[in-house]
Amino acid sequence: VPMLNMKSFFYKSGVWGWGAGSNPKPATGTIVLTEAGAAHPAIATLGYAAGDEIELYAVSDEAYSNNIIQGYTASEGGFIAEDAPLATIGDGINAFHEHGTSNIYMLYPLSSDAVVAGVEFTDDATNLLMALVDYLADSKSKVRQANKPNIELDYYNGETVVKITTGIDGAVIYYTTDGTEPTTASAQWNMLDSLTVKEPITVKAYISAIGYNDSEVATAEVVVKSQWAAPELTITRNENNTVVELTTTEEGGQIYFNFAGGETVITSQLYTEAITLTEPGTLYAFVAGGDKLNSEIAGQYIGINGITEETIRLDTLSNFDSNPTDWFVTVDEVNGTGEAKAYYYWGKAAWSYYSTEVDRTEPALDENGNQLKNQAGEDSVIVYYKPDPNAVKSVVPANANGWVIKSAGQVLTLEGNLDANANVGNGEKGRYAETAMDAISGKPTNGCITFGSKLEGEPYTGTIETTEAHAGPFDVVAYVGNGNGSGKPEMEIQISADGAVWTKLGDVNIADTQRYWKKTVLAYNETAPVYVRIAHTGGGSKAQVYDIRLMVNGEVSKGYVDGVELPDATAAEVVSVQIYNLSGALLSEMGEGLNIVRIIYSDGTVEVKKVLNK
């Protein structure tokens, strides 16, 4: 309830324990308002200002000697330590303060000792007392029940660590570990401590806090778990790939693996068969399942014998990145609609690829090759129309980056606010990698170009193309997702010497699940310069293109550390490769600019080098 306390000596240790009562020296009958006091709602109504001396008693010399007005000093870290003094007495002693925002508690040193001594209150003292009583009465509200304490359980192999926490300052937590109901006679929890448990127990706890009703009792059944043994990696290095087999010596657990370093099932893929790697990366594996704790992570950098520092392609020659900065554009040939979430280039409706000009006609034949007739008995013909050059539309970024988006009738949309996670096969319709293999080098950008609808019977015409020819050899790396709930699109990586006649380099890998993405790596091993594009070719479903990268062998590639076959089993293998930026943040792949690469070998040696990624 609201309370007006007039006796600061209650603060003494052994009474409330909030601090100590203090007498002014020399004795005085006045308080001096602080700025906080002058601004206080109850005091301000009386017209006082900061620094005003307010006489509370008409005192005699005898009364002065009795120190009728009492101040206080607050214990550091105590219940009232943070309360701002509203007035002081004597030589700067705190005399007057308020605590809380509802059911307010206030100290006002109008000691009853004054009545005993026959001292008269001044008008100021009486008026201030009345104002404070009204103010406190207005603060009355229903007392809240404290929230139950939070019992946190951290599991380790063979033991569980218990922590009990609360967000209420100054609260006392009473607890038991034998399943009995806690009371004020139970043990008090020290917020800085923890409890290590090696046998199952029942923990019960509740909160008692000034200003609150006691909380309900929180209960936690504390169990002790064992941990799965880490899986073992068997590595077989072949001429152009490396095969990794994962095994566990215990029954009942399942092995998961990933290339990001996490130990949660949602970011990993269930191991069902030997893993064949054709590109290097650090593989992480762990055992999970049942009532046991996940095992420790077994991680190892996997090199590929067929890839050396002279053949690996880690440097970016050109990059198409589906991001709003580049592709939320407004130019004359783009009359699209949209905002921060999506931009519909040329609107939401498809248009015709064909003109009205006839290209050729051919006889209409049945399945046996016989001429078909129309209703008038005349030979039926099939009319083919020429493509309409005006149907071709394109989008270039505000700042040229070497890529252009084109269509001659197919709807294309930029979705710029996606989060393409490296999570694997979690069963949700999210933007996730379909397999762990797709996430070896990280995840694609947060955005995609969606290849949408076209007119029935007309071809797919959506493409993303380079604006210049690039000399090989290089790899084309594409991150592409499935935009439909059933079926999947068909896409190709194509190359062209002149930007007009295109040939297929290879098919794009497409996920079976809606919105999942896959990575495709195709090699162009010739030296002649070629244009590169990704083209939607069929499938009747939407495709979603995140990134396209042309990767070459350059300065970053020269730093590849595991590109040669190990001569024997006793040679030091690379255990882990860690990449950091100049601020010390751990990266999943090379960032632009200067990177710090830390290489750890199986013999315990560590090599650190600086790698510039242009």
Side-chain angles (χ1 to χ4, degrees):
V1 297
M3 181 182 292
L4 185 61
N5 174 27
M6 299 183 184
K7 186 75 170 179
S8 64
F9 266 56
F10 286 140
Y11 292 0
K12 279 187 173 182
S13 177
V15 185
W16 292 348
W18 296 348
S22 299
N23 288 323
K25 296 186 183 306
T28 179
T30 59
I31 60 172
V32 180
L33 285 181
T34 64
E35 289 191 13
H40 189 276
I43 303 174
T45 60
L46 302 177
Y48 301 124
D52 282 355
E53 294 186 0
I54 303 175
E55 186 177 33
L56 302 184
Y57 301 109
V59 296
S60 63
D61 291 340
E62 179 183 355
Y64 274 122
S65 64
N66 290 333
N67 279 306
I68 292 172
I69 301 179
Q70 298 167 340
Y72 70 95
T73 55
S75 298
E76 185 176 352
F79 184 65
I80 61 170
E82 302 299 321
D83 295 341
L86 303 180
T88 61
I89 58 172
D91 190 17
I93 299 171
N94 298 337
F96 194 175
H97 73 90
E98 173 189 313
H99 186 90
T101 56
S102 62
N103 292 318
I104 291 172
Y105 163 86
M106 182 170 284
L107 173 70
Y108 176 41
L110 254 178
S111 173
S112 58
D113 290 348
V115 178
V116 174
V119 175
E120 295 181 2
F121 297 133
T122 66
D123 289 343
D124 282 339
T126 304
N127 292 337
L128 189 54
L129 177 62
M130 298 296 291
L132 294 179
V133 169
D134 289 341
Y135 172 76
L136 292 176
D138 289 341
S139 77
K140 183 171 177 57
S141 64
K142 184 177 180 180
V143 179
R144 274 199 310 123
Q145 184 179 35
N147 293 330
K148 289 194 296 186
N150 183 34
I151 304 177
E152 301 175 4
L153 305 177
D154 293 326
Y155 296 101
Y156 301 92
N157 190 18
E159 62 184 33
T160 301
V161 175
V162 181
K163 295 179 182 178
I164 309 177
T165 60
T166 175
I168 302 176
D169 291 339
V172 177
I173 300 174
Y174 296 97
Y175 75 102
T176 61
T177 58
D178 58 2
T180 60
E181 295 298 307
T183 67
T184 54
S186 302
Q188 291 188 27
W189 182 265
N190 186 332
M191 296 291 289
L192 300 179
D193 287 346
S194 59
L195 176 66
T196 299
V197 175
K198 296 186 177 181
E199 297 290 339
I201 61 172
T202 300
V203 174
K204 292 189 175 184
Y206 80 95
I207 291 173
S208 178
I210 294 176
Y212 297 85
N213 289 329
D214 289 349
S215 75
E216 295 178 357
V217 174
T219 302
E221 300 295 337
V222 183
V223 299
V224 179
K225 299 183 178 182
S226 60
Q227 185 178 33
W228 292 108
E232 296 181 356
L233 284 70
T234 302
I235 300 172
T236 304
R237 300 179 66 140
N238 302 317
E239 182 178 357
N240 293 310
N241 62 53
T242 297
V243 177
V244 182
E245 294 181 90
L246 304 176
T247 56
T248 177
T249 57
E250 299 177 292
E251 295 184 358
Q254 293 181 305
I255 302 175
Y256 292 85
F257 70 96
N258 63 69
F259 295 88
E263 57 175 322
T264 57
V265 171
I266 195 172
T267 60
S268 307
Q269 182 175 337
L270 178 66
Y271 175 79
T272 56
E273 59 184 3
I275 305 164
T276 300
L277 294 175
T278 57
E279 60 179 304
T282 301
L283 186 147
Y284 302 90
F286 61 94
V287 179
D291 293 329
K292 288 189 175 184
L293 300 175
N294 289 2
S295 74
E296 294 182 354
I297 296 178
Q300 185 158 335
Y301 187 82
I302 310 298
I304 311 296
N305 285 345
I307 299 177
T308 71
E309 63 180 11
E310 298 301 323
T311 60
I312 193 169
R313 297 165 184 173
L314 297 176
D315 299 74
T316 301
L317 174 64
S318 184
N319 179 205
F320 172 83
D321 181 340
S322 302
N323 64 80
T325 301
D326 285 339
W327 298 105
F328 275 147
V329 295
T330 302
V331 293
D332 291 342
E333 62 267 33
V334 179
N335 300 311
T337 60
E339 49 188 27
K341 293 183 179 180
Y343 196 98
Y344 292 87
Y345 301 121
W346 320 293
K348 300 181 180 181
W351 62 98
S352 181
Y353 167 74
Y354 296 106
S355 69
T356 57
E357 183 179 355
V358 176
D359 181 45
R360 69 187 188 281
T361 60
E362 294 179 0
L365 306 177
D366 64 18
E367 58 185 8
N368 297 318
N370 299 316
Q371 176 69 56
L372 295 173
K373 301 289 185 177
N374 60 24
Q375 291 181 342
E378 300 169 340
D379 290 346
S380 292
V381 295
I382 301 173
V383 179
Y384 293 90
Y385 294 92
K386 292 183 178 181
D388 183 359
N390 295 321
V392 179
K393 300 180 181 182
S394 63
V395 180
V396 295
N399 297 307
N401 62 6
W403 294 84
V404 60
I405 299 171
K406 290 184 178 180
S407 177
Q410 186 175 359
V411 174
L412 298 182
T413 309
L414 170 64
E415 297 180 68
N417 66 333
L418 309 177
D419 185 8
N421 289 287
N423 296 359
V424 177
N426 67 350
E428 300 292 334
K429 291 183 178 180
R431 316 281 176 165
Y432 307 125
E434 185 174 61
T435 71
M437 309 294 286
D438 297 312
I440 288 180
S441 60
K443 65 178 183 178
T445 187
N446 289 4
C448 70
I449 301 294
T450 297
F451 286 61
S453 61
K454 62 178 183 62
L455 296 183
E456 186 176 356
E458 297 200 0
Y460 291 96
T461 58
T463 62
I464 301 173
E465 306 176 5
T466 61
T467 56
E468 59 181 307
H470 295 283
F474 55 74
D475 287 340
V476 183
V477 181
Y479 292 86
V480 180
N482 184 349
N484 279 72
S486 61
K488 60 183 182 180
E490 297 171 4
M491 302 197 85
E492 294 178 358
I493 300 296
Q494 300 173 345
I495 56 175
S496 172
D498 58 5
V501 178
W502 296 87
T503 59
K504 178 180 176 180
L505 181 64
D507 291 317
V508 174
N509 296 323
I510 305 291
D512 293 318
T513 306
Q514 183 180 19
R515 301 195 187 107
Y516 278 25
W517 52 265
K518 289 185 70 67
K519 181 172 71 172
T520 299
V521 181
L522 297 172
Y524 172 68
N525 293 320
E526 306 298 326
T527 57
V530 290
Y531 294 87
V532 179
R533 76 178 185 182
I534 189 169
H536 194 171
T537 57
S541 299
K542 292 180 180 179
Q544 296 175 319
V545 177
Y546 292 85
D547 287 284
I548 310 169
R549 302 172 187 169
L550 307 187
M551 308 297 290
V552 296
N553 182 266
E555 293 301 318
V556 173
S557 303
K558 304 302 182 187
Y560 175 62
V561 296
D562 198 13
V564 295
E565 184 174 4
L566 299 177
D568 55 61
T570 62
E573 293 194 45
V574 174
V575 175
S576 177
V577 175
Q578 300 164 340
I579 305 171
Y580 300 86
N581 62 21
L582 294 183
S583 299
L586 183 63
L587 308 176
S588 60
E589 60 182 342
M590 287 281 186
E592 291 187 4
L594 197 61
N595 298 261
I596 306 299
V597 180
R598 185 171 183 265
I599 308 158
I600 303 173
Y601 295 91
S602 58
D603 62 1
T605 59
V606 178
E607 179 183 4
V608 179
K609 60 173 65 177
K610 295 181 179 179
V611 177
L612 179 64
N613 183 16
K614 296 182 178 179

